[in-house]
Amino acid sequence: SIIYRWDFLRNVFILLSAAWIGVLFGLYSGRLTPLVLMGIFATYDIIAVMKGPLRMLINEIRLTKQKVSLKTQPILGLGAGDILFYSLAVCYSVGWIQPFSHGLMCALLVSFVCVFGLIITILLAHYLNKAAAPALPISMFLALMVIIIFITL
């Protein structure tokens, strides 16, 4: 239907915008700022999802579904901020780690650990029966570890 098509286009636009903003932050916001942002927002993501505003939003959605008597289906949702920080980590490793061959290898490893961290997060949420789990902490801390290892080389 036409509504589905507009929702799909909106989601694609949001995804591409978040990825592009991550690229810009990763390449042009200095050498230390992206690393600090990744650490701070990964920590904030834990608080926001477990006890903060995102927890309240999830509870409201669950109550609305119960009132309307919809079946609750497990949904995997990544926010635009998650996509932004994944792309920030990859672009930072390409832009700031020298020589370029090390930066490229670091970017591939950062991409791998981001996906690996996301898989671990999904598995933890499934086995702990959590309705929502923060998508940034495991991925960002693994990415930071890889980046710091490559910086010290």
Side-chain angles (χ1 to χ4, degrees):
S1 78
I2 189 91
I3 295 172
Y4 173 76
R5 190 175 306 136
W6 285 113
D7 285 345
F8 176 76
L9 288 175
R10 183 199 63 206
N11 291 341
V12 168
F13 179 72
I14 290 171
L15 174 77
L16 292 175
S17 297
W20 184 244
I21 291 169
V23 168
L24 291 176
F25 278 161
L27 294 176
Y28 299 115
S29 62
R31 193 160 177 83
L32 188 59
T33 304
L35 299 176
V36 172
L37 285 175
M38 284 188 274
I40 288 173
F41 277 98
T43 306
Y44 172 74
D45 197 31
I46 296 170
I47 297 166
V49 170
M50 295 300 179
K51 297 186 190 265
L54 293 177
R55 169 58 57 198
M56 291 184 285
L57 181 65
I58 291 165
N59 290 338
E60 284 182 25
I61 291 171
R62 189 178 298 145
L63 287 173
T64 305
K65 284 184 177 181
Q66 287 174 353
K67 286 179 184 176
V68 182
S69 71
L70 293 175
K71 290 183 180 179
T72 56
Q73 300 172 350
I75 296 172
L76 174 64
L78 282 178
D82 300 327
I83 303 299
L84 185 146
F85 282 101
Y86 295 150
S87 62
L88 183 143
V90 173
C91 287
Y92 178 86
S93 59
V94 169
W96 288 99
I97 295 180
Q98 299 298 327
F100 181 71
S101 60
H102 286 166
L104 191 58
M105 189 171 21
C106 182
L108 290 173
L109 261 165
V110 166
S111 299
F112 174 75
V113 298
C114 283
V115 171
F116 180 73
L118 187 59
I119 291 169
I120 295 297
T121 302
I122 292 168
L123 290 174
L124 282 174
H126 175 72
Y127 288 120
L128 297 176
N129 291 326
K130 294 285 186 182
L136 280 181
I138 296 173
S139 297
M140 283 300 103
F141 290 128
L142 288 174
L144 282 171
M145 194 169 59
V146 169
I147 290 170
I148 290 170
I149 289 170
F150 270 88
I151 287 174
T152 59
L153 289 179

mmCIF file of all heavy atoms in Angstrom, residues 6-26:
data_model
loop_
_atom_site.group_PDB
_atom_site.id
_atom_site.type_symbol
_atom_site.label_atom_id
_atom_site.label_comp_id
_atom_site.label_asym_id
_atom_site.label_seq_id
_atom_site.Cartn_x
_atom_site.Cartn_y
_atom_site.Cartn_z
ATOM 1 N N TRP A 6 5.634 4.856 1.907
ATOM 2 C CA TRP A 6 6.155 6.081 2.520
ATOM 3 C C TRP A 6 6.924 5.781 3.797
ATOM 4 O O TRP A 6 7.937 6.413 4.076
ATOM 5 C CB TRP A 6 5.022 7.071 2.790
ATOM 6 C CG TRP A 6 4.544 7.738 1.538
ATOM 7 C CD1 TRP A 6 3.321 7.576 0.958
ATOM 8 C CD2 TRP A 6 5.273 8.633 0.699
ATOM 9 N NE1 TRP A 6 3.245 8.314 -0.191
ATOM 10 C CE2 TRP A 6 4.441 8.981 -0.368
ATOM 11 C CE3 TRP A 6 6.550 9.162 0.741
ATOM 12 C CZ2 TRP A 6 4.825 9.840 -1.382
ATOM 13 C CZ3 TRP A 6 6.949 10.023 -0.270
ATOM 14 C CH2 TRP A 6 6.083 10.352 -1.310
ATOM 15 N N ASP A 7 6.438 4.829 4.584
ATOM 16 C CA ASP A 7 7.173 4.433 5.788
ATOM 17 C C ASP A 7 8.538 3.854 5.421
ATOM 18 O O ASP A 7 9.540 4.146 6.069
ATOM 19 C CB ASP A 7 6.382 3.403 6.595
ATOM 20 C CG ASP A 7 5.232 4.018 7.349
ATOM 21 O OD1 ASP A 7 5.196 5.255 7.498
ATOM 22 O OD2 ASP A 7 4.357 3.252 7.790
ATOM 23 N N PHE A 8 8.565 3.039 4.402
ATOM 24 C CA PHE A 8 9.826 2.443 3.957
ATOM 25 C C PHE A 8 10.800 3.525 3.491
ATOM 26 O O PHE A 8 11.972 3.518 3.873
ATOM 27 C CB PHE A 8 9.555 1.441 2.829
ATOM 28 C CG PHE A 8 10.812 0.852 2.256
ATOM 29 C CD1 PHE A 8 11.502 -0.123 2.957
ATOM 30 C CD2 PHE A 8 11.311 1.286 1.033
ATOM 31 C CE1 PHE A 8 12.664 -0.666 2.440
ATOM 32 C CE2 PHE A 8 12.467 0.756 0.512
ATOM 33 C CZ PHE A 8 13.144 -0.225 1.217
ATOM 34 N N LEU A 9 10.324 4.468 2.691
ATOM 35 C CA LEU A 9 11.196 5.548 2.208
ATOM 36 C C LEU A 9 11.688 6.426 3.359
ATOM 37 O O LEU A 9 12.845 6.838 3.379
ATOM 38 C CB LEU A 9 10.460 6.395 1.173
ATOM 39 C CG LEU A 9 10.230 5.732 -0.177
ATOM 40 C CD1 LEU A 9 9.376 6.627 -1.068
ATOM 41 C CD2 LEU A 9 11.549 5.418 -0.852
ATOM 42 N N ARG A 10 10.806 6.700 4.312
ATOM 43 C CA ARG A 10 11.213 7.481 5.483
ATOM 44 C C ARG A 10 12.316 6.764 6.260
ATOM 45 O O ARG A 10 13.307 7.361 6.657
ATOM 46 C CB ARG A 10 10.015 7.734 6.389
ATOM 47 C CG ARG A 10 10.370 8.601 7.602
ATOM 48 C CD ARG A 10 9.378 8.502 8.707
ATOM 49 N NE ARG A 10 9.369 7.128 9.184
ATOM 50 C CZ ARG A 10 8.348 6.548 9.762
ATOM 51 N NH1 ARG A 10 7.216 7.177 9.902
ATOM 52 N NH2 ARG A 10 8.421 5.311 10.191
ATOM 53 N N ASN A 11 12.157 5.456 6.465
ATOM 54 C CA ASN A 11 13.154 4.686 7.206
ATOM 55 C C ASN A 11 14.485 4.629 6.470
ATOM 56 O O ASN A 11 15.545 4.716 7.097
ATOM 57 C CB ASN A 11 12.639 3.282 7.490
ATOM 58 C CG ASN A 11 11.513 3.283 8.492
ATOM 59 O OD1 ASN A 11 11.338 4.245 9.236
ATOM 60 N ND2 ASN A 11 10.737 2.227 8.498
ATOM 61 N N VAL A 12 14.450 4.487 5.164
ATOM 62 C CA VAL A 12 15.685 4.491 4.375
ATOM 63 C C VAL A 12 16.374 5.845 4.484
ATOM 64 O O VAL A 12 17.595 5.927 4.665
ATOM 65 C CB VAL A 12 15.404 4.132 2.897
ATOM 66 C CG1 VAL A 12 16.604 4.418 2.008
ATOM 67 C CG2 VAL A 12 15.000 2.674 2.792
ATOM 68 N N PHE A 13 15.608 6.919 4.414
ATOM 69 C CA PHE A 13 16.183 8.261 4.530
ATOM 70 C C PHE A 13 16.817 8.470 5.903
ATOM 71 O O PHE A 13 17.912 9.016 6.020
ATOM 72 C CB PHE A 13 15.107 9.316 4.272
ATOM 73 C CG PHE A 13 15.605 10.713 4.403
ATOM 74 C CD1 PHE A 13 16.447 11.261 3.449
ATOM 75 C CD2 PHE A 13 15.260 11.483 5.504
ATOM 76 C CE1 PHE A 13 16.924 12.549 3.574
ATOM 77 C CE2 PHE A 13 15.732 12.770 5.640
ATOM 78 C CZ PHE A 13 16.568 13.308 4.679
ATOM 79 N N ILE A 14 16.152 8.026 6.954
ATOM 80 C CA ILE A 14 16.698 8.159 8.307
ATOM 81 C C ILE A 14 17.975 7.339 8.447
ATOM 82 O O ILE A 14 18.968 7.804 9.020
ATOM 83 C CB ILE A 14 15.646 7.745 9.354
ATOM 84 C CG1 ILE A 14 14.528 8.777 9.404
ATOM 85 C CG2 ILE A 14 16.274 7.579 10.730
ATOM 86 C CD1 ILE A 14 13.341 8.352 10.241
ATOM 87 N N LEU A 15 17.981 6.133 7.922
ATOM 88 C CA LEU A 15 19.162 5.280 7.980
ATOM 89 C C LEU A 15 20.348 5.913 7.263
ATOM 90 O O LEU A 15 21.456 5.987 7.806
ATOM 91 C CB LEU A 15 18.846 3.912 7.371
ATOM 92 C CG LEU A 15 20.021 2.966 7.222
ATOM 93 C CD1 LEU A 15 20.367 2.357 8.565
ATOM 94 C CD2 LEU A 15 19.696 1.896 6.216
ATOM 95 N N LEU A 16 20.124 6.407 6.053
ATOM 96 C CA LEU A 16 21.206 7.034 5.293
ATOM 97 C C LEU A 16 21.676 8.327 5.935
ATOM 98 O O LEU A 16 22.881 8.627 5.954
ATOM 99 C CB LEU A 16 20.754 7.287 3.853
ATOM 100 C CG LEU A 16 20.529 6.036 3.009
ATOM 101 C CD1 LEU A 16 19.978 6.409 1.645
ATOM 102 C CD2 LEU A 16 21.801 5.229 2.883
ATOM 103 N N SER A 17 20.765 9.089 6.500
ATOM 104 C CA SER A 17 21.150 10.328 7.178
ATOM 105 C C SER A 17 22.003 10.042 8.405
ATOM 106 O O SER A 17 23.023 10.706 8.639
ATOM 107 C CB SER A 17 19.911 11.122 7.602
ATOM 108 O OG SER A 17 19.164 11.508 6.484
ATOM 109 N N ALA A 18 21.613 9.055 9.193
ATOM 110 C CA ALA A 18 22.385 8.704 10.385
ATOM 111 C C ALA A 18 23.770 8.193 10.003
ATOM 112 O O ALA A 18 24.771 8.557 10.636
ATOM 113 C CB ALA A 18 21.643 7.655 11.202
ATOM 114 N N ALA A 19 23.845 7.375 8.963
ATOM 115 C CA ALA A 19 25.148 6.866 8.527
ATOM 116 C C ALA A 19 26.034 8.011 8.031
ATOM 117 O O ALA A 19 27.233 8.060 8.339
ATOM 118 C CB ALA A 19 24.965 5.821 7.435
ATOM 119 N N TRP A 20 25.459 8.934 7.299
ATOM 120 C CA TRP A 20 26.240 10.055 6.778
ATOM 121 C C TRP A 20 26.726 10.972 7.900
ATOM 122 O O TRP A 20 27.863 11.444 7.882
ATOM 123 C CB TRP A 20 25.426 10.835 5.754
ATOM 124 C CG TRP A 20 26.193 11.937 5.118
ATOM 125 C CD1 TRP A 20 25.935 13.262 5.211
ATOM 126 C CD2 TRP A 20 27.365 11.828 4.312
ATOM 127 N NE1 TRP A 20 26.865 13.975 4.508
ATOM 128 C CE2 TRP A 20 27.755 13.125 3.942
ATOM 129 C CE3 TRP A 20 28.119 10.751 3.861
ATOM 130 C CZ2 TRP A 20 28.867 13.374 3.156
ATOM 131 C CZ3 TRP A 20 29.231 10.995 3.075
ATOM 132 C CH2 TRP A 20 29.584 12.289 2.731
ATOM 133 N N ILE A 21 25.901 11.216 8.895
ATOM 134 C CA ILE A 21 26.319 12.033 10.036
ATOM 135 C C ILE A 21 27.451 11.333 10.786
ATOM 136 O O ILE A 21 28.418 11.965 11.220
ATOM 137 C CB ILE A 21 25.123 12.334 10.964
ATOM 138 C CG1 ILE A 21 24.156 13.277 10.257
ATOM 139 C CG2 ILE A 21 25.582 12.947 12.281
ATOM 140 C CD1 ILE A 21 22.833 13.428 10.963
ATOM 141 N N GLY A 22 27.368 10.017 10.920
ATOM 142 C CA GLY A 22 28.449 9.255 11.542
ATOM 143 C C GLY A 22 29.745 9.375 10.770
ATOM 144 O O GLY A 22 30.830 9.503 11.353
ATOM 145 N N VAL A 23 29.657 9.352 9.444
ATOM 146 C CA VAL A 23 30.847 9.524 8.605
ATOM 147 C C VAL A 23 31.462 10.902 8.848
ATOM 148 O O VAL A 23 32.674 11.036 9.035
ATOM 149 C CB VAL A 23 30.489 9.339 7.108
ATOM 150 C CG1 VAL A 23 31.628 9.797 6.211
ATOM 151 C CG2 VAL A 23 30.143 7.893 6.823
ATOM 152 N N LEU A 24 30.632 11.932 8.857
ATOM 153 C CA LEU A 24 31.151 13.293 9.072
ATOM 154 C C LEU A 24 31.785 13.445 10.448
ATOM 155 O O LEU A 24 32.863 14.030 10.581
ATOM 156 C CB LEU A 24 30.026 14.311 8.885
ATOM 157 C CG LEU A 24 29.510 14.473 7.456
ATOM 158 C CD1 LEU A 24 28.338 15.441 7.426
ATOM 159 C CD2 LEU A 24 30.610 14.943 6.534
ATOM 160 N N PHE A 25 31.124 12.934 11.489
ATOM 161 C CA PHE A 25 31.712 12.998 12.832
ATOM 162 C C PHE A 25 33.018 12.215 12.904
ATOM 163 O O PHE A 25 33.974 12.649 13.537
ATOM 164 C CB PHE A 25 30.749 12.461 13.889
ATOM 165 C CG PHE A 25 29.714 13.438 14.352
ATOM 166 C CD1 PHE A 25 28.579 12.989 14.991
ATOM 167 C CD2 PHE A 25 29.862 14.793 14.159
ATOM 168 C CE1 PHE A 25 27.610 13.868 15.430
ATOM 169 C CE2 PHE A 25 28.903 15.691 14.589
ATOM 170 C CZ PHE A 25 27.778 15.219 15.227
ATOM 171 N N GLY A 26 33.046 11.055 12.284
ATOM 172 C CA GLY A 26 34.245 10.223 12.335
ATOM 173 C C GLY A 26 35.435 10.842 11.643
ATOM 174 O O GLY A 26 36.579 10.674 12.074
#
